[in-house]
Amino acid sequence: MRTATMTVDKAYQVAQTDDRLFGSFIEHLGRAVYGGIYQPGHPSADEDGFRRDVLELVRELKIPLIRYPGGNFVSNFFWEDSVGPLENRQPRLDLAWRTLEPNTFGLDEFARWTKKAGADVMMAVNLGTRGIADACNLLEYCNHPSGTKYSDLRRSHGHEEPYHFKLWCLGNEMDGPWQIGRKTMDEYGRISEETAKAMKLIDPTIELVSCGSSFRDMPTFPQWEATTLEHNYDYVDYISLHQYYGNLNQDSSDYLAQSDDMEEFIHTVVSACDFVKAKKRSKKTLHLSFDEWNVWFHSKSEEEDITQNHPWQKAPALLEDQYDFEDALMAGLMMITLLKHADRIKIACLAQLVNVIAPIMTERDGGAWRQTIFYPFYHASRYGRGMVLGTAADAPVHETSTHGEVSDLVSTAVWNQEEETLTVFAVNRNLEEDCRLELDLRSFEKCVPMEKLELAGFGLKEENTASEERVRPQSLTDIRMENGKAETVLKKASWNVLRFHL
Amino acid sequence: MRTATMTVDKAYQVAQTDDRLFGSFIEHLGRAVYGGIYQPGHPSADEDGFRRDVLELVRELKIPLIRYPGGNFVSNFFWEDSVGPLENRQPRLDLAWRTLEPNTFGLDEFARWTKKAGADVMMAVNLGTRGIADACNLLEYCNHPSGTKYSDLRRSHGHEEPYHFKLWCLGNEMDGPWQIGRKTMDEYGRISEETAKAMKLIDPTIELVSCGSSFRDMPTFPQWEATTLEHNYDYVDYISLHQYYGNLNQDSSDYLAQSDDMEEFIHTVVSACDFVKAKKRSKKTLHLSFDEWNVWFHSKSEEEDITQNHPWQKAPALLEDQYDFEDALMAGLMMITLLKHADRIKIACLAQLVNVIAPIMTERDGGAWRQTIFYPFYHASRYGRGMVLGTAADAPVHETSTHGEVSDLVSTAVWNQEEETLTVFAVNRNLEEDCRLELDLRSFEKCVPMEKLELAGFGLKEENTASEERVRPQSLTDIRMENGKAETVLKKASWNVLRFHL
Amino acid sequence: MRTATMTVDKAYQVAQTDDRLFGSFIEHLGRAVYGGIYQPGHPSADEDGFRRDVLELVRELKIPLIRYPGGNFVSNFFWEDSVGPLENRQPRLDLAWRTLEPNTFGLDEFARWTKKAGADVMMAVNLGTRGIADACNLLEYCNHPSGTKYSDLRRSHGHEEPYHFKLWCLGNEMDGPWQIGRKTMDEYGRISEETAKAMKLIDPTIELVSCGSSFRDMPTFPQWEATTLEHNYDYVDYISLHQYYGNLNQDSSDYLAQSDDMEEFIHTVVSACDFVKAKKRSKKTLHLSFDEWNVWFHSKSEEEDITQNHPWQKAPALLEDQYDFEDALMAGLMMITLLKHADRIKIACLAQLVNVIAPIMTERDGGAWRQTIFYPFYHASRYGRGMVLGTAADAPVHETSTHGEVSDLVSTAVWNQEEETLTVFAVNRNLEEDCRLELDLRSFEKCVPMEKLELAGFGLKEENTASEERVRPQSLTDIRMENGKAETVLKKASWNVLRFHL
């Protein structure tokens, strides 16, 4: 068996994780809202029509932050349509997904739902078909206490207290040709600068996210980042990254190598930010909001048929990727990559949360269940908070078709000082060979293995279903400790969480 | 007598005419609507207040398509003002023509009127003072069946069925300094691109017309065409051309030579389209919408006095060109030029239809009557549908003051396979000399002359009036047929329609 | 004692002063409106809630024109909020000054107040967060007689007659990063061009002011002027200048030398205008609107604390500069500089009028009183109207820290032909030495000294207060006349108004 060695030293500190790294995303898209988190009449629905079975799984994931209401949906979102007495709300055409938005669940309902879910809202303003004044009105509605036109409108709707949403997206994927009201680099730089400036006058406690490129292969990446930030740098706090991966070529080894691309993507965005920082002679360092990430490729063709040929349905099943075991490994690899950059990435949103490319699925007349990708995220959210430590690893490599030689091992370590635990997350993405891991933990003197959580031994295409959760972790005790060194075996194609008490 | 020879061969096919080549245009301008198509209280008014005498003449012209509501008017048009209960509608200042728009006739009334006229609507969105969202709302109002905010608004106004307007103009003459909310090339390219994209998501069955230059002598022509199409090429279906001619220098011979300029204009726009097509590596060929064409010069100074010194009248007489015989020849020349380019020109609108630079005029308390230009259009609309054939002509030439040597003869031929007819349209624009035409029709074996319709023998300045239709065609039989060759005389200054049965 | 000689000859005519040179400014800012001109319940309030004590002082200044409602305020001003029945008006967040705008005093109230004050309104449209259509609607509301949507709205509010506001600002300081909806040069050029064009179609009798640079030290000055005018030159009538000075370095001599900077500023703006005029081959000469000028520096830090840390107050005390004697000298110097350029400067607004960097102050429960800067403006407004004459002066100089050697004397002369008076305004800005002035008036044959008004002999930091007007002018008779020459002494640090009867 091949061997990897790794040193985790408490002196090599990357950064304390921001809780918001474990955020997620609910868009008005498919069955995320209607039939997802909200389904009046469902047996599990509470007095607000919120599904209790879904809420339970959401709480299980300990999601601190949920992005809303889009995504592409936001670029033609008229928030006024979504508030006020239900009998006055009118359905609207959602142009992003070409479905019918009934507006029976809106801004105020979402605020209520997140309260029950224990999460904060990451709100977005529409910079596709609207501008500064509309963004300001929405912010006033949400965050201003009272005594003004829009704050009093909120109060008249029964919401006396402001929501104090702290985090706001300045539009969504504004570089994308698919975006309603797409902007050029300079157009977006300008509108985001002026909107940001005005919004911070209304509420200086908010933080703003500038739209970065929609994904790394956009033709304008990374010039988009540099040009837009040159306009709005002084007024924004984060720049967004979005990325989805998929096993498009039925080449699992090469598929799992894509987390290395994600490394490069993050590196380039950091570079663009710091280039602009220098050019502006600014003292402010911009952070990253990786506010859409996941595996997404299973559902693409079906969803196109609905969008193109059967539009204007209410909450049709869209983007309902059915994930398999290798997707769980990929989600785990992405989560580890995010953690490794906790010094610059302060926000990340698993896209999305329910039904739509989601860890949590619902049956219309049945229950809610966990997809394979649920678990790596669950483990990270439960055990991945704390001080991320740099890991010095020496691991075997394997050859891939388009990524060349890549490391078998992708890993990171998080030291939770309060709970006195150390957690090592590691994926063995070699599909053929197990790997012995020798872990040097000598800087942690009283280190005691607690458990090893493992996802392994499944067929790569194994899926979970509503009735059977085939892919689920098991808790093992096969970590051997000696002389400050821990040793265990990382099985081929495995997700591993090594937990130690300090 | 000089002789022209011409060969019409069924093998040389240009293209089947699109019915929409015989379209026209009603703008909220002058007496086109109020006192034109709509005059409650007039003896001929029907239950909707539509003048029956006008409708009759419109039907006589077999107009398949009518552009609406502008023209320049559209650039500050707020369609919401023009719909709903009459008692709630409010007058607005029309800034294009500086008249008062009473809004008693609006979008829904026009839809009803066109139904009676047997025509389709070519609708326009306001890209002067409005943007994407407003255009989308209008489209939703017109074309979406039901169940959404604006489709239900239409239904609440008593119009249960959607109008399914198929053809939409993305603004009007956006390059013109006179345009309310004029755009630069890049500004228009961007707003039209984003608006077109969003509109096609709402209704993918619509076709969109991008604004070309306002006329050939615009300083930004033809760069405007290339630059704007580079932005919106993927989302639009046609590019517009507008052109008016007039005998401004009292030089009739040179005036009639201007149809050669129109040839050049069309050629250049086609070139610009195909240049962008190649640059975009697109498989789509863009077609042309010549959606404003006519003679216009008689009324310019009077109209300026009203517009500048006596504004805010309700339906004042504006642009009421009184046409003479040479204008009819010019209109005929333009119509022939359009037919010759039936391969690329799919839409053309005689601008306009009633009272405003129009073939049909009304008297306030009297009847409706035909101007001289009525007839060439009438003939083309009646007999010009079918397969346009290339004509190989060898004709005498004459000298003009600014156009140099030009051909006496301008002609085209249309083969209607269904009706088994062949029609040759020909203008002899030599004002001094008749011309013997030898027409080689040997590819049509059983060709029999039916009649020759002719406008000739009038003084060049002869006009029609409400009481007397002086300039009208006569039907002649002076076509001699021998050995597959037809022979007739095209009188000096004449419009000729040679009709054959096959 | 040093001597200055000066010749005032009736043949050397600069220009007749435009009455609007003596304009002022009321912004919805601080206590200018609420607690300033408007305070229902105050003992001096009239039936409209207007303070009579303030009105009296305003009339004393003979203000012909008052700019309204901003200033920075206008860039997020929604005029509709400020009109109509009081019970329907809602407070709005003013983002410019981060105060609460109660909207109990609005557009219609201001029109009524200016009527009582005897002044015209210089209105502004919001080009920060709004555009063409909104500007047009406001103009229609104000100036269109009746029979249209917005003119009838005004009438429904009880204002039958249109206001006929003649002078309109196209936004405010649109180059300033602090401006809500700031524009780049090209953005502002374009929006102002199109807005101006549309507005003049509604009412061609209006005059429009294009925004120049916010002050001379803006980084884009004077390119801003050239670029924006290249867009809108044909549609605008004036370009604005704004400038405030302050004794920031506690160097009074250098402070007073800043009127020389103002000279340069005016000269450069004139140059930019005439450069564009030549480039456009235009026959129109653009004039200058110096629509914000004053001393402003005392209150800056206090105001920032309220704006930044205690926002959303209703009418907090903001920008309440407490002026001293040297500020009065500076205001006098600025006023003289404006008069000297009466050939190009047709409009000037002392910014502002009441409580906010203002000549007139109010006590909440007390009276209204005059600041030191009241008097130079008062003298100019009273005696400075007529034909400005070029003065040939030869005066001593003194050295300053950053302006080098500057003249002791800054002066101008105004010949009022109707009233048969000649007035010489002169500041001796030498703080150490009196100066004997020899004034050659031989072109005015029957010249008789009437009085010398003087502000002199006060400590430079002497202020007025609500209870005591320490700095006020006295009327002297120490002008000696002989052989067409007048002689008097201009005391060190003095403002002097020499009045002659002709």
Side-chain angles (χ1 to χ4, degrees), chain A residues 110-343:
Chain A
F110 188 69
R112 189 178 194 82
W113 182 83
T114 49
K115 198 161 247 179
K116 289 190 177 179
D120 288 330
V121 174
M122 180 185 197
M123 192 68 200
V125 299
N126 171 359
L127 294 186
T129 56
R130 310 188 85 178
I132 306 174
D134 304 306
C136 287
N137 294 345
L138 173 56
L139 176 58
E140 184 184 319
Y141 183 91
C142 293
N143 283 16
H144 198 75
S146 67
T148 65
K149 183 166 177 176
Y150 290 102
S151 59
D152 286 346
L153 180 64
R154 183 199 68 239
R155 293 169 64 229
S156 79
H157 296 156
H159 312 287
E160 183 62 30
E161 290 306 310
Y163 297 131
H164 289 310
F165 295 153
K166 175 156 186 165
L167 198 56
W168 293 74
C169 300
L170 295 163
N172 171 73
E173 296 184 356
M174 299 305 301
D175 61 333
W178 59 86
Q179 200 69 213
I180 310 299
R182 176 182 72 93
K183 300 286 182 283
T184 65
M185 291 184 254
D186 281 308
E187 287 170 351
Y188 180 68
R190 289 290 297 125
I191 195 173
S192 61
E193 177 189 4
E194 296 304 322
T195 303
K197 190 172 76 183
M199 288 177 74
K200 288 208 166 168
L201 287 169
I202 293 179
D203 184 353
T205 70
I206 60 171
E207 293 187 315
L208 294 173
V209 183
S210 182
C211 282
S213 295
S214 293
F215 49 89
R216 192 189 175 209
D217 282 346
M218 288 298 292
T220 47
F221 175 80
Q223 189 57 51
W224 172 276
E225 277 71 7
T227 299
T228 56
L229 288 179
E230 235 180 277
H231 285 288
N232 66 25
Y233 195 89
D234 291 344
Y235 300 106
V236 303
D237 304 281
Y238 305 94
I239 186 163
S240 73
L241 298 84
H242 291 182
Q243 189 70 53
Y244 298 95
Y245 294 115
N247 188 359
L248 289 163
N249 302 316
Q250 290 307 317
D251 178 342
S252 300
S253 197
D254 203 51
Y255 167 42
L256 298 180
Q258 289 180 95
S259 63
D260 294 10
D261 299 341
M262 189 171 166
E263 282 279 353
E264 283 298 316
F265 183 23
I266 294 164
H267 178 73
T268 308
V269 175
V270 168
S271 303
C273 290
D274 292 350
F275 167 78
V276 176
K277 179 187 180 184
K279 198 165 168 189
K280 290 250 172 197
R281 279 77 177 130
S282 175
K283 289 182 177 164
K284 179 171 75 176
T285 297
L286 218 65
H287 286 142
L288 274 52
S289 172
F290 212 124
D291 45 40
E292 291 191 27
W293 71 268
N294 203 351
V295 171
W296 175 21
F297 73 109
H298 295 284
S299 61
K300 295 240 171 176
S301 57
E302 302 152 40
E303 112 209 15
E304 273 182 18
D305 181 55
I306 290 180
T307 298
Q308 288 184 18
N309 303 319
H310 305 91
W312 317 134
Q313 298 180 49
K314 187 184 145 183
L318 282 177
L319 282 65
E320 301 208 355
D321 272 42
Q322 182 74 18
Y323 293 114
D324 55 26
F325 173 53
E326 68 181 12
D327 297 331
L329 294 180
M330 188 64 211
L333 286 164
M334 294 182 85
M335 192 71 238
I336 289 172
T337 308
L338 292 168
L339 286 169
K340 285 168 77 176
H341 293 277
D343 55 334

Side-chain angles (χ1 to χ4, degrees), chain B residues 76 78 81 90-93 95 98 100 128-129 176-184 187 312, chain C residues 132-133 136-137 140 144 147-150 152 190 193-194 197-204 235:
Chain B
N76 202 36
F78 289 72
D81 296 337
Q90 291 183 283
R92 293 295 301 264
L93 299 176
L95 301 188
R98 303 189 74 221
L100 190 77
T129 57
W178 59 84
Q179 201 67 212
I180 309 300
R182 176 181 72 91
K183 301 286 181 285
T184 65
E187 286 171 352
W312 319 132
Chain C
I132 307 174
C136 287
N137 294 344
E140 184 185 317
H144 197 75
T148 65
K149 183 165 178 178
Y150 291 103
D152 286 346
R190 290 289 298 125
E193 176 189 5
E194 297 304 322
K197 190 172 75 183
M199 289 177 74
K200 288 207 166 170
L201 288 169
I202 294 178
D203 184 353
Y235 300 105

Side-chain angles (χ1 to χ4, degrees), chain C residues 12-26:
Chain C
Y12 292 83
Q13 303 189 348
V14 173
Q16 190 74 21
T17 55
D18 191 308
D19 274 351
R20 298 170 301 174
L21 269 176
F22 309 98
S24 189
F25 178 25
I26 289 283

